[in-house]
Every structure is written in C-alpha cells, then in structure tokens.
Amino acid sequence: MKLVILEAESLGEDMVFTPFHRFGEVVIYPATTADQMPERVEDADVIVANKVPICEKTIGQAKNLKLVCLTATGINNLDGEYLKKTGIAAYNVAGYSTNGVAQHTFALLFYVLEKLNYYDHYVKSGEYARGKCFSHFGQSFCELDGKTWGIIGLGAIGRRVAEIATVFGCHVICYSASGGKYDSPYEQVEFDELLRRSDFLSIHAPLNAHTENLMTADVFEKMKRSAVLINVARGPIVNEEDLYHALTEGKIAGAALDVLSKEPMDPENPLLKIQDSNKLIITPHIAWAARETRFRVVDEVVKNIQRFQAGDGTNRVY
C-alpha cells in the first residue's frame, strides 16, 4: 500500500518514521495545506494527518484511499458524514498524552502562581546579589494545600490532574459541560458553583457545541478575583477578547494557556498585549510535546493501521 504522511513536522524534527515502512511505500511531507492535499493524496491508500481538513474537497479525488489516521485525539478536522458515506475509515489516538498534558498543566500553574518570572529576573538582574536578606518577598503567592481546584472535563487527563491536585492537598470539584454524570470520587457541581468556588480552574474538555465559547465575560465575572484559569484543551473554549479584559481589569488573577483559537497565534490576538508574565503565560501548544509523548503517538498510529488491517475497531472514530 502507499502511505502518505502529510504533516511530519507537527511531530517534531527528531521523529523517526521508519516503523511505517513495514506497510509499503511511504511518502513524507513536512507540512501540507488544504490546497495541496488533492494532488498529494490522489493515489494514497492511507494518509496520516494532524490538523489539515479531511473532507470531500481535500480527499475527494483520492481513488484508493481506505484509511485516515490522525496523530491527535481531536477529530474536529474530520468531515464524518463524508467519511461514512464513502466508507473511508478514520482512527485517532487516545490516551497517549495524559501524563504529559497533566504535567504541563502544573508547570503552567506554578509559573503564574509562584511568580517565577519575577523571581528569576530578580536573581539574574543582580538584585539578589546586591541584597542584604537571604530571602525576598517582592511578590506573594500561596500554597495549593487547602485550595479548591475546579475541573471542566473529567476524562483521562482531567482525572490525572485531579489525582495530582489531591496529592497537593486540593479539594477537587468538577463540571460536565454536556450534563453527563461522572463516576468518580470527586464532587460534581453545576457551572456557577464551579466558578464561585474554584481557586484554580483547569479545562480538559473537548471542543464541541457544549464547550465552544464557554468562558466569556459573564463567566469571568463569577470567578474569584484571586482565581487562575488554565486551558490545555482547545483554544475556542475561551473567548480571548473577554479573557484579555478579565485579566487587565482584575476580574481574575491570572491565566495560563497552551491552546489558542488560532494556531499559530494571530498577531492581532489581544492577549499579546499582556506582557506581564505574573498575570499570563502562553505556551505554543506544547503540553503534548514531551519526547515520550510524541513517539507514543507514532507507535499508536502504527498500531491503528494494524488494527484496521485486522478489522479491529479500537480507536476507530468513523
């Protein structure tokens, strides 16, 4: 079979693609636009993609295509109706990034919460070397112990974050945007209560009709002024214009984001105007980028191709 990898650079320059060669001919493109796709997938049996749209316009001329493999969990770029109509199978990878994203969640929080940018600059500027006291109290911060950690989306990542937050002494509360009931030891609350009680609020939910534009100005008004928001899920869950005003007007204390509504970041994004790293940190969608996590993705895609060949529906989304 012919296998076409459309967005190799999205997996990192150190990625190894040799495991795919067991399936036949492999063609690798560092990046692919929607306009380039029809020609590149025309004679492919399998395509491996990440963010490019998979729809009639992009794959409609692919006469041999049998399988689409995503190097991601989210399936927003798939036209499910078209795939079902044409009988083209689609698989995603699930559970590969749980530890990496949970780890990054806390890295983001601690950077903002403990004012690490301020204290790093204090030392590197020479101020600490010129000081007279062994410690410095220029910016205050708090312990996690005894605080309330709110979670939107209690899937695998949300549960892992909940476990770690509990170890730090937090009381965990959770909310399901879809209205589902979680089978978990954590207190499930309504949205307004989640906002009112949370000292830290992290988002781990998929992007769908229930979560898109969930975090708006009205929502920020209901949060504690001392609260920190963490979004490592999907950018469009948070209204970035409203978040900008919430941060600059002191509606919440801080925010830590790994995802944005447009990636790479729109130069006109209002959040770029906030240069205070004690208030806001944005990382470029790297919560999943630990080396082990990225290589696990490729292993799972290889397994998904084998599953498809064996008629195994594990990880099949269409």
Side-chain angles (χ1 to χ4, degrees):
M1 67 171 67
K2 181 175 181 178
L3 189 149
V4 178
I5 298 171
L6 294 168
E7 300 169 273
E9 67 180 19
S10 71
L11 292 165
E13 295 180 359
D14 57 345
M15 185 50 62
V16 176
F17 295 101
T18 51
F20 290 109
H21 288 279
R22 72 185 71 178
F23 301 112
E25 179 187 359
V26 178
V27 177
I28 300 174
Y29 296 102
T32 299
T33 66
D35 290 339
Q36 292 170 328
M37 279 188 64
E39 180 181 355
R40 293 185 175 184
V41 306
E42 184 178 9
D43 58 351
D45 296 285
V46 179
I47 61 174
V48 178
N50 186 287
K51 293 284 189 281
V52 288
I54 308 296
C55 57
E56 185 172 9
K57 180 180 178 181
T58 57
I59 65 171
Q61 303 303 312
K63 54 185 179 294
N64 300 327
L65 188 60
K66 305 172 186 67
L67 174 64
V68 174
C69 284
L70 293 183
T71 58
T73 302
I75 60 174
N76 303 82
N77 59 322
L78 300 182
D79 182 340
E81 292 304 313
Y82 178 73
L83 292 172
K84 286 187 284 188
K85 182 178 72 174
T86 56
I88 298 171
Y91 284 64
N92 72 345
V93 286
Y96 72 95
S97 65
T98 300
N99 289 330
V101 177
Q103 174 178 304
H104 196 67
T105 299
F106 286 88
L108 290 172
L109 173 70
F110 290 135
Y111 184 86
V112 173
L113 179 68
E114 298 203 357
K115 311 296 189 293
L116 296 182
N117 177 268
Y118 169 83
Y119 284 110
D120 182 48
H121 178 73
Y122 176 77
V123 172
K124 289 177 178 174
S125 69
E127 283 298 310
Y128 187 42
R130 292 188 288 271
K132 296 180 180 179
C133 181
F134 74 94
S135 195
H136 175 69
F137 311 101
Q139 295 280 341
S140 65
F141 54 92
C142 67
E143 295 180 348
L144 267 64
D145 186 59
K147 303 300 186 296
T148 297
W149 189 299
I151 292 178
I152 300 174
L154 202 66
I157 296 172
R159 287 173 188 264
R160 186 66 177 134
V161 168
E163 291 171 1
I164 299 170
T166 300
V167 172
F168 275 110
C170 292
H171 176 69
V172 174
I173 59 177
C174 59
Y175 167 72
S176 169
S178 66
K181 294 296 181 183
Y182 295 125
D183 179 15
S184 81
Y186 308 109
E187 181 185 0
Q188 187 168 351
V189 298
E190 295 301 320
F191 194 39
D192 281 359
E193 185 175 353
L194 182 91
L195 301 173
R196 177 174 55 82
R197 291 173 55 186
S198 294
D199 297 294
F200 317 112
L201 178 58
S202 60
I203 304 173
H204 309 285
L207 177 63
N208 54 38
H210 302 290
T211 59
E212 186 169 9
N213 205 39
L214 178 67
M215 305 298 293
T216 60
D218 290 343
V219 168
F220 296 127
E221 286 282 354
K222 297 175 181 178
M223 294 176 68
K224 294 183 178 182
R225 287 184 173 263
S226 58
V228 176
L229 173 73
I230 308 125
N231 186 13
V232 291
R234 289 292 182 266
I237 295 175
V238 176
N239 184 303
E240 290 158 357
E241 181 74 32
D242 290 355
L243 177 60
Y244 167 78
H245 289 291
L247 289 169
T248 55
E249 296 168 14
K251 305 296 184 184
I252 62 174
L257 312 174
D258 185 56
V259 289
L260 295 166
S261 58
K262 182 180 178 183
E263 298 171 349
M265 190 176 191
D266 188 332
E268 300 302 315
N269 191 314
L271 295 175
L272 266 179
K273 293 186 285 187
I274 300 178
Q275 295 295 303
D276 183 358
S277 295
N278 297 321
K279 193 178 290 288
L280 173 68
I281 178 174
I282 300 173
T283 51
H285 206 140
I286 59 167
W288 73 288
R291 190 175 190 275
E292 299 91 337
T293 308
R294 290 183 291 108
F295 274 72
R296 196 176 297 124
V297 168
V298 168
D299 289 342
E300 279 300 307
V301 172
V302 169
K303 290 177 183 176
N304 280 343
I305 297 173
Q306 293 171 327
R307 288 171 180 133
F308 171 74
Q309 291 177 325
D312 183 347
T314 304
N315 290 343
R316 182 166 180 168
V317 293
Y318 291 111

